[in-house]
Amino acid sequence: MMTSIVGLVVCAVLVFALQRALVRLQLSRAKHRSLAGHSRMARRFASVVPFYEYDEAHFFRADAAPEPVAAARRAGFMRLAGVFRQRYAQTAELTEEMLADVSDLQFTSRYRVPFQFSRFVREHLRPGAFLASSSGVTVTDMDGNRFYDLTGSYGVNVFGYDFYKECIARGSERVRDLGPVLGAYHPVVAYNVRRLLEISGLEEVSFHMSGTEAVMQAVRLARYNTGRSHLVRFCGAYHGWWGDVQPGVGNPIAARETYTLKDLDPAALRVLGSRRDIACVLVNPLQALHPNVNAPGDSTLLDSGRRAHFDRAAYTAWLKELREVCTRRGIVLIFDEVFVGFRLAAGGAQQYFGVRADMVTYGKTVAGGLPVGVLCGLGKFMRRYREERPADVCFARGTFNAHPYVMGSMFEFLKRLEERSIQEIYHRLDAVWNSRAGTLNERLAAAGLPVRVANLSSIWTICYVQASRYNWMFQYYLREAGLALSWVGTGRLIFSLNYSDEDFTAVSNALVAAATAMQADGWWWASPQLTNKSIRRNVLKEMIQARCLSPMGSMSSPRSK
Ligand SMILES: Cc1ncc(COP(=O)(O)O)c(C=O)c1O
């Protein structure tokens, strides 16, 4: 009798352990095999990567190019350095002056190119971080140089800077009598709320000061209203800098209640379909351009492995599957449209892909150029208190939420969205931007240049079709050619929708000219032995060597100056 009870208990324990192991295995299979899919491993890896840098000779021959090629590169680099010194003198001087005092500047200037090359580049190519004015699709620096703006102001600039100047000026005028009074709302808020609900198709709104805050609020409310702990994000997706949505490199502590799953993969659906601890799924539709990959920046451009391609049908099908599993499992589906909202369509990604979310976050452009975050959601998920348990609340406030000036500018923005001219822009969006990308790619291919573009509407990224260690140099040639990029360089170009065909042709010409100059300077020389794989292998070897020579990773390798 006793032995059979023991046997039963052992069996039950084994079944339980097996079940847990299977659930764990299911989760492991739903992780992307890259480091971006394994947050903890990525942080550990980042902590052991040692610093080392190339000395001047190696700088030009990191791919073992022959001496004449290295000499051509050096000549090109020094010519460019001379142009930068002379052309951007005042802008660079002020930037240099501020560098020690502004931590953000220190960070961005350091992470423009792979770290092995960074110091030498910083010493010679100083693009400057100041601008004096904007107009049409251009910005002008302190030295009077005009650039076509491809920064898009991190995505804020959808309709052109003049449009936003008008929203801010008219909006400020509209709320001037109330001024900076907080807590109570200016009456423009009533219109803003009505329009946001129409646009999102949802039931309630809350206002915040940034996209990050809107996402924090969405996730907090999803947890509160489902009583579950975990959020799901997809590999590589950016949702602001809050810890829970940034579980990997960049966040010094682990995000313990976050699952990072593979985008566009049935294994992720299986996890969503079986686990009971998932409160919400966060989707950043921008990932459709590069699923499972982090936002591309030139500082990680070690080789030519950057890939991007937007497949609207595949992504739509994926969103529908997500919608279905979330509905079935009572999981809150959140579209984080801070970036793409109002850029892909008037009704944002929900309209563009034809899939409805339970909550949607907006930001960037929606306050007509002023800082904001907006959360729209179904009433049942936006609830912050419980009738039956009055002490059990979900607290979220912010001093500056619904600031009158922000609301005034948002009012102007939302009003102008109703204009026919804006509706027409939306109507032609994909046709215009896909055809522009296609034409440019044809030109690049015809000119024998190893550069291509990929796009999700007006959001573009540059890819490289031949193995090279020097693609990150392209950002400097582009600047010389009169194109302003953000600090992530060629990873993300953001066009405003007021680019005319003539403006775009000018940008295309500049891009082709820049690539031609870079090719002529020898940066894209390649031996048949040079592949992305061989580049990565060599870099890994260098890291191991540097690590062995300086175990703390704080000293330089023999190649350093
Ligand atoms: C999709 C997405 N979510 C959230 C954020 C964070 O917004 P903010 O920078 O306003 O905090 C961003 C910013 O780029 C974003 O692209």
Side-chain angles (χ1 to χ4, degrees):
M1 178 70 178
M2 195 60 192
T3 44
S4 63
I5 290 175
V6 171
L8 272 177
V9 170
V10 169
C11 262
V13 168
L14 280 177
V15 168
F16 179 70
L18 188 67
Q19 261 174 353
R20 290 202 60 151
L22 284 175
V23 167
R24 188 72 197 84
L25 184 68
Q26 196 177 47
L27 186 60
S28 296
R29 296 177 89 160
K31 292 185 176 197
H32 194 256
R33 60 192 155 76
S34 66
L35 274 180
H38 291 80
S39 315
R40 214 175 303 159
M41 224 185 286
R43 280 212 326 279
R44 235 175 264 149
F45 178 73
S47 74
V48 298
V49 171
F51 175 73
Y52 65 96
E53 59 186 352
Y54 299 143
D55 63 21
E56 205 174 315
H58 201 75
F59 183 97
F60 297 104
R61 300 193 60 209
D63 52 358
E67 198 41 63
V69 173
R73 288 173 179 171
R74 179 191 293 275
F77 186 89
M78 291 308 170
R79 182 195 63 76
L80 215 48
V83 169
F84 272 47
R85 234 186 344 266
Q86 189 243 329
R87 204 186 275 174
Y88 314 131
Q90 283 185 56
T91 313
E93 194 183 318
L94 187 59
T95 307
E96 204 56 30
E97 246 177 75
M98 301 303 298
L99 202 57
D101 301 333
V102 183
S103 44
D104 217 25
L105 259 187
Q106 287 170 27
F107 181 78
T108 51
S109 78
R110 193 161 280 257
Y111 285 90
R112 280 177 189 275
V113 308
F115 67 86
Q116 297 91 336
F117 299 95
S118 179
R119 182 148 65 96
F120 194 69
V121 172
R122 290 201 309 275
E123 279 168 10
H124 292 89
L125 299 173
R126 296 180 186 145
F130 289 86
L131 289 172
S133 63
S134 65
S135 168
V137 292
T138 63
V139 288
T140 303
D141 71 7
M142 293 170 60
D143 298 86
N145 300 296
R146 241 153 70 119
F147 301 90
Y148 283 100
D149 181 66
L150 303 181
T151 73
S153 286
Y154 296 116
V156 170
N157 185 15
V158 177
F159 294 111
Y161 292 120
D162 300 319
F163 174 100
Y164 295 92
K165 286 177 191 171
E166 281 167 24
C167 288
I168 292 170
R170 289 192 202 155
S172 302
E173 195 51 40
R174 205 174 273 282
V175 301
R176 202 170 48 161
D177 287 348
L178 181 62
V181 175
L182 298 169
Y185 295 128
H186 188 282
V188 291
V189 171
Y191 171 81
N192 293 349
V193 168
R194 204 169 56 245
R195 287 289 292 134
L196 286 166
L197 294 184
E198 273 167 20
I199 290 164
S200 65
L202 292 163
E203 294 166 352
E204 291 182 22
V205 176
S206 66
F207 293 107
H208 306 274
M209 284 307 294
S210 68
T212 300
E213 276 188 70
V215 170
M216 284 168 75
Q217 171 72 337
V219 174
R220 178 179 280 199
L221 284 171
R223 284 173 166 159
Y224 177 73
N225 284 304
T226 59
R228 303 176 192 164
S229 54
H230 279 64
L231 76 87
V232 164
R233 66 184 272 275
F234 291 105
C235 179
Y238 184 68
H239 296 284
W241 63 279
W242 170 47
D244 280 20
V245 290
Q246 200 187 41
V249 176
N251 178 0
I253 58 165
R256 300 205 184 281
E257 282 160 340
T258 300
Y259 296 129
T260 297
L261 304 184
K262 258 188 281 189
D263 222 343
L264 291 150
D265 197 291
L269 297 176
R270 282 196 285 277
V271 169
L272 293 169
S274 62
R275 291 194 80 99
R276 295 206 191 92
D277 55 353
I278 297 172
C280 58
V281 177
L282 269 172
V283 175
N284 177 356
L286 175 56
Q287 289 302 108
L289 182 57
H290 43 72
N292 292 307
V293 177
N294 287 335
D298 285 358
S299 72
T300 55
L301 213 45
L302 285 179
D303 57 13
S304 301
R306 186 188 282 163
R307 297 277 177 275
H309 170 68
F310 172 49
D311 182 338
R312 184 171 178 176
Y315 201 73
T316 302
W318 166 243
L319 291 181
K320 285 188 175 156
E321 286 182 300
L322 276 180
R323 177 66 278 175
E324 190 279 320
V325 72
C326 286
T327 305
R328 186 156 46 83
R329 302 289 299 171
I331 297 169
V332 184
L333 179 61
I334 306 170
F335 280 5
D336 179 359
E337 298 205 28
V338 168
F339 200 116
V340 300
F342 305 98
R343 185 172 278 279
L344 297 183
Q350 290 194 101
Q351 181 189 344
Y352 187 76
F353 292 107
V355 178
R356 293 254 153 238
D358 301 313
M359 284 179 162
V360 178
T361 54
Y362 301 110
K364 296 204 190 267
T365 198
V366 68
L370 292 183
V372 78
V374 171
L375 170 63
C376 296
L378 292 175
K380 64 179 177 182
F381 295 129
M382 297 288 278
R383 220 169 26 125
R384 297 190 199 176
Y385 55 86
R386 304 188 203 282
E387 296 284 358
E388 69 286 5
R389 274 181 273 141
D392 181 3
V393 297
C394 182
F395 187 81
R397 299 301 314 256
T399 302
F400 288 109
N401 293 355
H403 189 290
Y405 282 82
V406 175
M407 290 297 116
S409 188
M410 182 185 286
F411 178 92
E412 297 298 330
F413 177 87
L414 292 172
K415 270 264 172 234
R416 290 199 62 178
L417 276 194
E418 296 181 41
E419 287 174 9
R420 202 199 193 117
S421 58
I422 299 284
Q423 293 301 321
E424 271 166 16
I425 291 178
Y426 280 128
H427 205 61
R428 294 180 286 114
L429 216 50
D430 266 9
V432 167
W433 291 99
N434 292 346
S435 116
R436 286 175 178 175
T439 311
L440 178 54
N441 276 336
E442 279 165 21
R443 280 187 72 181
L444 290 164
L449 296 163
V451 174
R452 298 290 183 274
V453 295
N455 72 303
L456 166 58
S457 200
S458 54
I459 308 162
W460 291 32
T461 189
I462 293 184
C463 300
Y464 301 89
V465 294
Q466 165 196 311
S468 169
R469 290 220 57 185
Y470 292 101
N471 296 319
W472 46 266
M473 268 303 291
F474 193 34
Q475 60 180 297
Y476 297 99
Y477 282 87
L478 289 171
R479 186 159 190 103
E480 187 200 18
L483 305 183
L485 312 185
S486 70
W487 70 276
V488 298
T490 64
R492 182 156 296 156
L493 316 181
I494 306 169
F495 289 91
S496 47
L497 305 184
N498 60 329
Y499 262 89
S500 66
D501 285 343
E502 291 71 39
D503 296 328
F504 183 77
T505 302
V507 169
S508 289
N509 292 344
L511 201 137
V512 171
T516 307
M518 177 151 158
Q519 191 178 49
D521 285 342
W523 298 101
W524 282 315
W525 168 89
S527 77
Q529 287 79 37
L530 194 74
T531 61
N532 289 331
K533 209 167 165 186
S534 74
I535 291 174
R536 282 197 296 271
R537 204 181 315 120
N538 272 341
V539 172
L540 190 64
K541 259 195 236 156
E542 289 170 5
M543 284 181 183
I544 293 169
Q545 197 189 3
R547 181 89 195 154
C548 293
L549 289 172
S550 59
M552 298 311 290
S554 60
M555 293 165 62
S556 304
S557 78
R559 288 210 187 95
S560 67
K561 286 206 279 188

